[in-house]
Amino acid sequence: MQRVAPLPQAYETRSDRPERWPDFFLVGAPRSGTTSMFTYLKQHPEVYVSVHKEPHFFGSDLSIQPHTVRDREVYLSLFVDARDDQRVGEGSVWYLRSTQAAREISTQCIDAKIIIMLRDPIEMIRSLHSLYLRTGNEDLHELTAAINAQDDRRAGRRIPSNAYFPEGLLYTEATCYHKGVRRYLDVFGPRQVKILIFEDYAADPAAVYRETLRFLQIDPTFVPTWDLPTANRQMRPAVLRQLRRLGQVCPDLLTVMRGRGQQHLGPKAPLDQALRARLRERLAGDVAELSMLLDRDLSHWCRP
């Protein structure tokens, strides 16, 4: 795994301002709407989010991905330009799977607000597999084969030579939401944790967005640009400023970020009914526990 190099002494990241740690974390799950929510939050004048969405600074039990930031000064530099009146956040989606991230976040940011977005686990698996085919983390084009390979991969076998995050290849573990949600509720308490369901978000993004703004205690009447390409163009000047600062602090990380998404494209894997039935059976117990934890019936995720 590629590590972000330690800061050369020539790079100066400290300022006269006190250290600024995030006020909120979008901790996952992957492929559950976190990128679009992050983009909508980025537009809010009372919000400052890291230009590097997924630094994965916390979660010491996770493999270090090419874009992981474990250097404290590099991490804090991602937020140094935030105004005092802004909420500061980042969105590392594998914090939800990590057994350590919730506790580690609390050691620095005990008052932080936690946003968790959850999706039908079977659809999440399919989407994650397709993503990994595009980015080179996966080399098994049939989803059934990828699911069947999980036991070997858990033991360190059959890992693709280009894999940058082996844990992500344990697809059914990535969708065992209950334990991850419980960890954040136990550490931060229900008042500091917001659970969003992808189906609600897809059906009415404006309503879920307003709900999220109220949770962050910022102006809920702000309306973002809903078209994501347009929103990204509008945010380009601010993004470029952040990228310039990141380039001064850690050019190696900036190079990795620029190279993301340039891997070969892979085909979207179909999901046959036999595999769907297997996944429903395997995931039903976790969905039932999650339903009880959230006091919301999510059993339709595992119905035929």
Side-chain angles (χ1 to χ4, degrees):
M1 295 298 169
Q2 179 179 352
R3 291 176 178 268
V4 174
L7 282 176
Q9 290 184 355
Y11 294 132
E12 180 61 45
T13 63
R14 297 186 183 279
S15 72
D16 294 334
R17 301 177 61 186
E19 291 181 341
R20 185 70 185 270
W21 292 87
D23 303 300
F24 71 90
F25 294 84
L26 186 52
V27 302
R31 315 308 294 165
S32 299
T34 61
T35 298
S36 61
M37 176 61 80
F38 197 77
T39 302
Y40 298 144
L41 289 173
K42 185 189 299 184
Q43 298 176 61
H44 198 292
E46 296 176 65
V47 170
Y48 185 97
V49 294
S50 164
V51 68
H52 179 17
K53 174 177 177 276
E54 300 183 23
H56 285 103
F57 176 77
F58 300 100
S60 58
D61 56 320
L62 300 175
S63 293
I64 295 180
Q65 303 179 57
H67 55 278
T68 295
V69 175
R70 288 287 167 81
D71 186 286
R72 177 188 176 104
E73 290 191 38
V74 173
Y75 182 69
L76 292 177
S77 76
L78 297 174
F79 316 109
V80 72
D81 290 330
R83 301 192 314 266
D84 291 340
D85 62 341
Q86 287 180 307
R87 295 284 191 271
V88 172
E90 57 121 314
S92 300
V93 298
W94 289 101
Y95 285 162
L96 185 62
R97 185 188 185 279
S98 168
T99 61
Q100 302 299 315
R103 180 186 55 80
E104 291 172 358
I105 290 170
S106 73
T107 63
Q108 293 291 344
C109 314
I110 188 60
D111 295 323
K113 292 181 179 291
I114 306 298
I115 301 170
I116 300 174
M117 301 184 73
L118 304 176
R119 183 180 187 178
D120 177 332
I122 296 176
E123 292 307 311
M124 194 278 247
I125 287 173
R126 187 182 184 193
S127 180
L128 186 61
H129 177 252
S130 296
L131 171 70
Y132 281 163
L133 287 175
R134 295 196 300 272
T135 60
N137 197 51
E138 176 63 272
D139 63 356
L140 297 176
H141 289 268
E142 294 295 328
L143 182 54
T144 299
I147 296 298
N148 290 341
Q150 288 186 122
D151 288 342
D152 280 342
R153 287 171 162 179
R154 193 175 291 105
R157 300 185 295 270
R158 299 176 66 185
I159 304 295
S161 59
N162 291 329
Y164 54 86
F165 189 59
E167 293 101 311
L169 300 174
L170 304 179
Y171 297 99
T172 55
E173 291 185 11
T175 51
C176 288
Y177 301 139
H178 168 260
K179 289 182 179 179
V181 173
R182 170 61 72 186
R183 278 192 291 270
Y184 281 94
L185 289 171
D186 287 346
V187 171
F188 289 95
R191 291 187 177 181
Q192 289 176 232
V193 179
K194 185 68 175 176
I195 314 294
L196 304 176
I197 303 299
F198 180 81
E199 294 150 302
D200 299 337
Y201 182 49
D204 194 343
V208 174
Y209 182 66
R210 289 193 298 271
E211 185 180 337
T212 305
L213 299 184
R214 285 192 289 270
F215 172 67
L216 295 175
Q217 297 179 305
I218 55 180
D219 180 10
T221 66
F222 175 79
V223 179
T225 298
W226 295 111
D227 179 71
L228 295 179
T230 301
N232 285 324
R233 286 195 298 272
Q234 292 173 346
M235 295 298 296
R236 185 174 175 80
V239 168
L240 289 175
R241 286 195 297 273
Q242 287 180 275
L243 287 173
R244 281 194 292 270
R245 175 179 288 279
L246 185 58
Q248 294 169 352
V249 172
C250 192
D252 291 341
L253 176 58
L254 185 58
T255 298
V256 169
M257 288 175 60
R258 284 172 172 162
R260 293 182 69 189
Q262 296 180 357
Q263 301 283 349
H264 68 280
L265 294 179
K268 187 174 182 180
L271 184 62
D272 63 47
Q273 292 306 306
L275 177 57
R276 185 180 291 275
R278 281 178 56 198
L279 291 174
R280 282 199 303 262
E281 181 178 0
R282 184 163 185 169
L283 298 169
D286 184 78
V287 170
E289 289 187 281
L290 180 67
S291 296
M292 289 190 292
L293 180 62
L294 302 185
D295 194 24
R296 174 170 176 172
D297 184 6
L298 297 169
S299 61
H300 60 280
W301 283 351
C302 290
R303 285 195 200 119

mmCIF file of all heavy atoms in Angstrom, residues 63-95:
data_model
loop_
_atom_site.group_PDB
_atom_site.id
_atom_site.type_symbol
_atom_site.label_atom_id
_atom_site.label_comp_id
_atom_site.label_asym_id
_atom_site.label_seq_id
_atom_site.Cartn_x
_atom_site.Cartn_y
_atom_site.Cartn_z
ATOM 1 N N SER A 63 -6.483 -0.515 6.166
ATOM 2 C CA SER A 63 -5.305 -0.421 5.302
ATOM 3 C C SER A 63 -5.134 1.022 4.832
ATOM 4 O O SER A 63 -6.112 1.754 4.649
ATOM 5 C CB SER A 63 -5.461 -1.324 4.071
ATOM 6 O OG SER A 63 -5.464 -2.681 4.436
ATOM 7 N N ILE A 64 -3.895 1.408 4.625
ATOM 8 C CA ILE A 64 -3.616 2.741 4.110
ATOM 9 C C ILE A 64 -3.787 2.728 2.605
ATOM 10 O O ILE A 64 -3.069 2.028 1.886
ATOM 11 C CB ILE A 64 -2.198 3.194 4.499
ATOM 12 C CG1 ILE A 64 -2.115 3.350 6.021
ATOM 13 C CG2 ILE A 64 -1.824 4.494 3.805
ATOM 14 C CD1 ILE A 64 -0.760 3.783 6.521
ATOM 15 N N GLN A 65 -4.755 3.483 2.110
ATOM 16 C CA GLN A 65 -5.001 3.610 0.682
ATOM 17 C C GLN A 65 -4.061 4.673 0.099
ATOM 18 O O GLN A 65 -3.446 5.442 0.840
ATOM 19 C CB GLN A 65 -6.459 3.985 0.439
ATOM 20 C CG GLN A 65 -7.454 2.993 1.050
ATOM 21 C CD GLN A 65 -8.876 3.394 0.806
ATOM 22 O OE1 GLN A 65 -9.318 3.578 -0.330
ATOM 23 N NE2 GLN A 65 -9.644 3.537 1.886
ATOM 24 N N PRO A 66 -3.952 4.731 -1.233
ATOM 25 C CA PRO A 66 -3.042 5.713 -1.825
ATOM 26 C C PRO A 66 -3.325 7.149 -1.405
ATOM 27 O O PRO A 66 -2.417 7.967 -1.342
ATOM 28 C CB PRO A 66 -3.264 5.522 -3.333
ATOM 29 C CG PRO A 66 -3.669 4.095 -3.460
ATOM 30 C CD PRO A 66 -4.507 3.821 -2.237
ATOM 31 N N HIS A 67 -4.600 7.463 -1.117
ATOM 32 C CA HIS A 67 -4.949 8.834 -0.769
ATOM 33 C C HIS A 67 -5.148 9.044 0.729
ATOM 34 O O HIS A 67 -5.622 10.089 1.151
ATOM 35 C CB HIS A 67 -6.231 9.241 -1.504
ATOM 36 C CG HIS A 67 -7.377 8.308 -1.243
ATOM 37 N ND1 HIS A 67 -7.540 7.128 -1.915
ATOM 38 C CD2 HIS A 67 -8.417 8.391 -0.375
ATOM 39 C CE1 HIS A 67 -8.631 6.517 -1.482
ATOM 40 N NE2 HIS A 67 -9.177 7.260 -0.546
ATOM 41 N N THR A 68 -4.779 8.044 1.536
ATOM 42 C CA THR A 68 -4.940 8.170 2.979
ATOM 43 C C THR A 68 -3.971 9.212 3.549
ATOM 44 O O THR A 68 -2.825 9.288 3.137
ATOM 45 C CB THR A 68 -4.695 6.816 3.669
ATOM 46 O OG1 THR A 68 -5.707 5.894 3.258
ATOM 47 C CG2 THR A 68 -4.722 6.945 5.190
ATOM 48 N N VAL A 69 -4.469 9.991 4.499
ATOM 49 C CA VAL A 69 -3.645 10.988 5.199
ATOM 50 C C VAL A 69 -3.520 10.560 6.654
ATOM 51 O O VAL A 69 -4.502 10.556 7.390
ATOM 52 C CB VAL A 69 -4.280 12.391 5.125
ATOM 53 C CG1 VAL A 69 -3.469 13.384 5.958
ATOM 54 C CG2 VAL A 69 -4.370 12.868 3.691
ATOM 55 N N ARG A 70 -2.326 10.209 7.069
ATOM 56 C CA ARG A 70 -2.109 9.857 8.467
ATOM 57 C C ARG A 70 -1.210 10.873 9.173
ATOM 58 O O ARG A 70 -0.988 10.767 10.371
ATOM 59 C CB ARG A 70 -1.521 8.451 8.574
ATOM 60 C CG ARG A 70 -2.527 7.338 8.240
ATOM 61 C CD ARG A 70 -3.554 7.162 9.336
ATOM 62 N NE ARG A 70 -4.675 6.337 8.940
ATOM 63 C CZ ARG A 70 -4.682 5.012 8.921
ATOM 64 N NH1 ARG A 70 -3.601 4.343 9.249
ATOM 65 N NH2 ARG A 70 -5.762 4.357 8.567
ATOM 66 N N ASP A 71 -0.673 11.813 8.420
ATOM 67 C CA ASP A 71 0.148 12.863 9.019
ATOM 68 C C ASP A 71 -0.772 13.932 9.609
ATOM 69 O O ASP A 71 -1.611 14.495 8.909
ATOM 70 C CB ASP A 71 1.070 13.471 7.961
ATOM 71 C CG ASP A 71 2.045 14.462 8.561
ATOM 72 O OD1 ASP A 71 1.612 15.583 8.908
ATOM 73 O OD2 ASP A 71 3.234 14.124 8.684
ATOM 74 N N ARG A 72 -0.595 14.205 10.878
ATOM 75 C CA ARG A 72 -1.468 15.138 11.594
ATOM 76 C C ARG A 72 -1.470 16.531 10.959
ATOM 77 O O ARG A 72 -2.536 17.139 10.778
ATOM 78 C CB ARG A 72 -1.016 15.216 13.058
ATOM 79 C CG ARG A 72 -1.785 16.205 13.928
ATOM 80 C CD ARG A 72 -1.096 16.322 15.280
ATOM 81 N NE ARG A 72 -1.725 17.315 16.134
ATOM 82 C CZ ARG A 72 -2.520 17.016 17.162
ATOM 83 N NH1 ARG A 72 -2.799 15.768 17.444
ATOM 84 N NH2 ARG A 72 -3.050 17.988 17.891
ATOM 85 N N GLU A 73 -0.289 17.030 10.606
ATOM 86 C CA GLU A 73 -0.223 18.383 10.068
ATOM 87 C C GLU A 73 -0.858 18.474 8.686
ATOM 88 O O GLU A 73 -1.509 19.466 8.356
ATOM 89 C CB GLU A 73 1.228 18.864 10.045
ATOM 90 C CG GLU A 73 1.794 19.115 11.432
ATOM 91 C CD GLU A 73 3.133 19.831 11.369
ATOM 92 O OE1 GLU A 73 3.290 20.716 10.508
ATOM 93 O OE2 GLU A 73 4.015 19.494 12.162
ATOM 94 N N VAL A 74 -0.658 17.450 7.861
ATOM 95 C CA VAL A 74 -1.306 17.445 6.554
ATOM 96 C C VAL A 74 -2.824 17.427 6.735
ATOM 97 O O VAL A 74 -3.561 18.152 6.056
ATOM 98 C CB VAL A 74 -0.840 16.241 5.712
ATOM 99 C CG1 VAL A 74 -1.641 16.144 4.416
ATOM 100 C CG2 VAL A 74 0.646 16.351 5.389
ATOM 101 N N TYR A 75 -3.286 16.586 7.643
ATOM 102 C CA TYR A 75 -4.730 16.494 7.884
ATOM 103 C C TYR A 75 -5.301 17.836 8.329
ATOM 104 O O TYR A 75 -6.294 18.321 7.779
ATOM 105 C CB TYR A 75 -5.013 15.425 8.928
ATOM 106 C CG TYR A 75 -6.479 15.202 9.216
ATOM 107 C CD1 TYR A 75 -7.310 14.623 8.263
ATOM 108 C CD2 TYR A 75 -7.029 15.576 10.440
ATOM 109 C CE1 TYR A 75 -8.658 14.406 8.522
ATOM 110 C CE2 TYR A 75 -8.371 15.363 10.717
ATOM 111 C CZ TYR A 75 -9.185 14.783 9.745
ATOM 112 O OH TYR A 75 -10.532 14.595 9.997
ATOM 113 N N LEU A 76 -4.683 18.466 9.305
ATOM 114 C CA LEU A 76 -5.202 19.733 9.808
ATOM 115 C C LEU A 76 -5.103 20.840 8.765
ATOM 116 O O LEU A 76 -5.905 21.782 8.777
ATOM 117 C CB LEU A 76 -4.464 20.129 11.087
ATOM 118 C CG LEU A 76 -4.736 19.230 12.299
ATOM 119 C CD1 LEU A 76 -3.893 19.661 13.485
ATOM 120 C CD2 LEU A 76 -6.216 19.231 12.657
ATOM 121 N N SER A 77 -4.159 20.710 7.847
ATOM 122 C CA SER A 77 -4.051 21.718 6.790
ATOM 123 C C SER A 77 -5.268 21.714 5.876
ATOM 124 O O SER A 77 -5.539 22.704 5.188
ATOM 125 C CB SER A 77 -2.778 21.486 5.970
ATOM 126 O OG SER A 77 -2.922 20.390 5.083
ATOM 127 N N LEU A 78 -6.004 20.610 5.849
ATOM 128 C CA LEU A 78 -7.197 20.523 5.005
ATOM 129 C C LEU A 78 -8.300 21.475 5.481
ATOM 130 O O LEU A 78 -9.225 21.758 4.734
ATOM 131 C CB LEU A 78 -7.726 19.088 4.996
ATOM 132 C CG LEU A 78 -6.792 18.026 4.416
ATOM 133 C CD1 LEU A 78 -7.391 16.642 4.608
ATOM 134 C CD2 LEU A 78 -6.507 18.287 2.944
ATOM 135 N N PHE A 79 -8.194 21.958 6.724
ATOM 136 C CA PHE A 79 -9.261 22.774 7.304
ATOM 137 C C PHE A 79 -8.793 24.158 7.743
ATOM 138 O O PHE A 79 -9.564 24.922 8.317
ATOM 139 C CB PHE A 79 -9.853 22.052 8.527
ATOM 140 C CG PHE A 79 -10.100 20.590 8.302
ATOM 141 C CD1 PHE A 79 -9.313 19.634 8.921
ATOM 142 C CD2 PHE A 79 -11.106 20.163 7.439
ATOM 143 C CE1 PHE A 79 -9.521 18.288 8.703
ATOM 144 C CE2 PHE A 79 -11.324 18.804 7.214
ATOM 145 C CZ PHE A 79 -10.526 17.872 7.842
ATOM 146 N N VAL A 80 -7.553 24.496 7.457
ATOM 147 C CA VAL A 80 -6.961 25.697 8.042
ATOM 148 C C VAL A 80 -7.619 26.980 7.537
ATOM 149 O O VAL A 80 -7.589 28.008 8.225
ATOM 150 C CB VAL A 80 -5.438 25.714 7.781
ATOM 151 C CG1 VAL A 80 -5.134 26.014 6.324
ATOM 152 C CG2 VAL A 80 -4.731 26.695 8.697
ATOM 153 N N ASP A 81 -8.227 26.960 6.363
ATOM 154 C CA ASP A 81 -8.832 28.175 5.818
ATOM 155 C C ASP A 81 -10.289 28.369 6.229
ATOM 156 O O ASP A 81 -10.929 29.345 5.810
ATOM 157 C CB ASP A 81 -8.748 28.168 4.285
ATOM 158 C CG ASP A 81 -7.319 28.351 3.785
ATOM 159 O OD1 ASP A 81 -6.541 29.024 4.489
ATOM 160 O OD2 ASP A 81 -6.988 27.818 2.718
ATOM 161 N N ALA A 82 -10.816 27.465 7.023
ATOM 162 C CA ALA A 82 -12.217 27.601 7.442
ATOM 163 C C ALA A 82 -12.395 28.819 8.346
ATOM 164 O O ALA A 82 -11.550 29.113 9.195
ATOM 165 C CB ALA A 82 -12.661 26.342 8.180
ATOM 166 N N ARG A 83 -13.495 29.510 8.154
ATOM 167 C CA ARG A 83 -13.809 30.642 9.028
ATOM 168 C C ARG A 83 -14.309 30.128 10.384
ATOM 169 O O ARG A 83 -14.804 29.002 10.503
ATOM 170 C CB ARG A 83 -14.889 31.525 8.396
ATOM 171 C CG ARG A 83 -14.533 32.101 7.039
ATOM 172 C CD ARG A 83 -15.547 33.195 6.659
ATOM 173 N NE ARG A 83 -16.923 32.793 6.892
ATOM 174 C CZ ARG A 83 -17.714 32.237 5.953
ATOM 175 N NH1 ARG A 83 -17.252 32.009 4.738
ATOM 176 N NH2 ARG A 83 -18.954 31.905 6.257
ATOM 177 N N ASP A 84 -14.217 30.978 11.374
ATOM 178 C CA ASP A 84 -14.648 30.603 12.710
ATOM 179 C C ASP A 84 -16.150 30.313 12.770
ATOM 180 O O ASP A 84 -16.599 29.562 13.635
ATOM 181 C CB ASP A 84 -14.300 31.702 13.713
ATOM 182 C CG ASP A 84 -12.802 31.832 13.938
ATOM 183 O OD1 ASP A 84 -12.067 30.864 13.632
ATOM 184 O OD2 ASP A 84 -12.363 32.895 14.404
ATOM 185 N N ASP A 85 -16.922 30.946 11.866
ATOM 186 C CA ASP A 85 -18.371 30.772 11.907
ATOM 187 C C ASP A 85 -18.844 29.640 11.001
ATOM 188 O O ASP A 85 -20.046 29.480 10.780
ATOM 189 C CB ASP A 85 -19.080 32.075 11.505
ATOM 190 C CG ASP A 85 -18.756 32.498 10.077
ATOM 191 O OD1 ASP A 85 -17.739 32.030 9.518
ATOM 192 O OD2 ASP A 85 -19.526 33.301 9.510
ATOM 193 N N GLN A 86 -17.929 28.831 10.482
ATOM 194 C CA GLN A 86 -18.309 27.729 9.612
ATOM 195 C C GLN A 86 -18.203 26.386 10.323
ATOM 196 O O GLN A 86 -17.348 26.188 11.190
ATOM 197 C CB GLN A 86 -17.404 27.700 8.366
ATOM 198 C CG GLN A 86 -17.682 28.814 7.368
ATOM 199 C CD GLN A 86 -16.759 28.732 6.169
ATOM 200 O OE1 GLN A 86 -15.537 28.685 6.319
ATOM 201 N NE2 GLN A 86 -17.339 28.727 4.978
ATOM 202 N N ARG A 87 -19.094 25.464 9.951
ATOM 203 C CA ARG A 87 -18.964 24.078 10.355
ATOM 204 C C ARG A 87 -17.937 23.428 9.430
ATOM 205 O O ARG A 87 -17.964 23.628 8.220
ATOM 206 C CB ARG A 87 -20.292 23.337 10.228
ATOM 207 C CG ARG A 87 -21.390 23.840 11.159
ATOM 208 C CD ARG A 87 -21.163 23.351 12.580
ATOM 209 N NE ARG A 87 -22.321 23.616 13.404
ATOM 210 C CZ ARG A 87 -22.526 24.736 14.090
ATOM 211 N NH1 ARG A 87 -21.609 25.688 14.045
ATOM 212 N NH2 ARG A 87 -23.609 24.903 14.808
ATOM 213 N N VAL A 88 -17.047 22.644 9.996
ATOM 214 C CA VAL A 88 -15.972 22.021 9.240
ATOM 215 C C VAL A 88 -16.207 20.517 9.195
ATOM 216 O O VAL A 88 -16.546 19.906 10.221
ATOM 217 C CB VAL A 88 -14.609 22.338 9.898
ATOM 218 C CG1 VAL A 88 -13.498 21.532 9.246
ATOM 219 C CG2 VAL A 88 -14.314 23.824 9.803
ATOM 220 N N GLY A 89 -16.034 19.922 8.004
ATOM 221 C CA GLY A 89 -16.295 18.495 7.902
ATOM 222 C C GLY A 89 -15.449 17.784 6.869
ATOM 223 O O GLY A 89 -14.784 18.397 6.039
ATOM 224 N N GLU A 90 -15.483 16.461 6.963
ATOM 225 C CA GLU A 90 -14.878 15.592 5.957
ATOM 226 C C GLU A 90 -15.760 14.360 5.808
ATOM 227 O O GLU A 90 -16.689 14.143 6.592
ATOM 228 C CB GLU A 90 -13.432 15.234 6.329
ATOM 229 C CG GLU A 90 -13.255 14.562 7.689
ATOM 230 C CD GLU A 90 -12.605 13.190 7.574
ATOM 231 O OE1 GLU A 90 -13.043 12.421 6.693
ATOM 232 O OE2 GLU A 90 -11.700 12.898 8.387
ATOM 233 N N GLY A 91 -15.457 13.527 4.779
ATOM 234 C CA GLY A 91 -16.370 12.429 4.461
ATOM 235 C C GLY A 91 -15.690 11.129 4.114
ATOM 236 O O GLY A 91 -15.781 10.653 2.976
ATOM 237 N N SER A 92 -15.015 10.508 5.067
ATOM 238 C CA SER A 92 -14.298 9.251 4.835
ATOM 239 C C SER A 92 -15.249 8.071 5.046
ATOM 240 O O SER A 92 -15.595 7.723 6.174
ATOM 241 C CB SER A 92 -13.097 9.153 5.775
ATOM 242 O OG SER A 92 -12.198 10.223 5.565
ATOM 243 N N VAL A 93 -15.648 7.424 3.946
ATOM 244 C CA VAL A 93 -16.770 6.485 4.017
ATOM 245 C C VAL A 93 -16.439 5.150 4.678
ATOM 246 O O VAL A 93 -17.357 4.403 5.034
ATOM 247 C CB VAL A 93 -17.350 6.226 2.611
ATOM 248 C CG1 VAL A 93 -17.903 7.506 2.017
ATOM 249 C CG2 VAL A 93 -16.311 5.616 1.677
ATOM 250 N N TRP A 94 -15.146 4.850 4.853
ATOM 251 C CA TRP A 94 -14.818 3.585 5.510
ATOM 252 C C TRP A 94 -14.693 3.724 7.021
ATOM 253 O O TRP A 94 -14.427 2.738 7.722
ATOM 254 C CB TRP A 94 -13.559 2.979 4.907
ATOM 255 C CG TRP A 94 -13.830 2.476 3.517
ATOM 256 C CD1 TRP A 94 -13.506 3.084 2.336
ATOM 257 C CD2 TRP A 94 -14.544 1.290 3.161
ATOM 258 N NE1 TRP A 94 -13.961 2.347 1.278
ATOM 259 C CE2 TRP A 94 -14.607 1.239 1.753
ATOM 260 C CE3 TRP A 94 -15.137 0.260 3.900
ATOM 261 C CZ2 TRP A 94 -15.232 0.201 1.066
ATOM 262 C CZ3 TRP A 94 -15.759 -0.770 3.216
ATOM 263 C CH2 TRP A 94 -15.800 -0.796 1.812
ATOM 264 N N TYR A 95 -14.904 4.913 7.557
ATOM 265 C CA TYR A 95 -14.960 5.063 9.013
ATOM 266 C C TYR A 95 -16.076 4.203 9.608
ATOM 267 O O TYR A 95 -15.994 3.789 10.767
ATOM 268 C CB TYR A 95 -15.224 6.519 9.394
ATOM 269 C CG TYR A 95 -14.062 7.480 9.243
ATOM 270 C CD1 TYR A 95 -14.296 8.855 9.205
ATOM 271 C CD2 TYR A 95 -12.744 7.043 9.176
ATOM 272 C CE1 TYR A 95 -13.251 9.769 9.094
ATOM 273 C CE2 TYR A 95 -11.692 7.943 9.059
ATOM 274 C CZ TYR A 95 -11.946 9.300 9.018
ATOM 275 O OH TYR A 95 -10.914 10.202 8.913
#
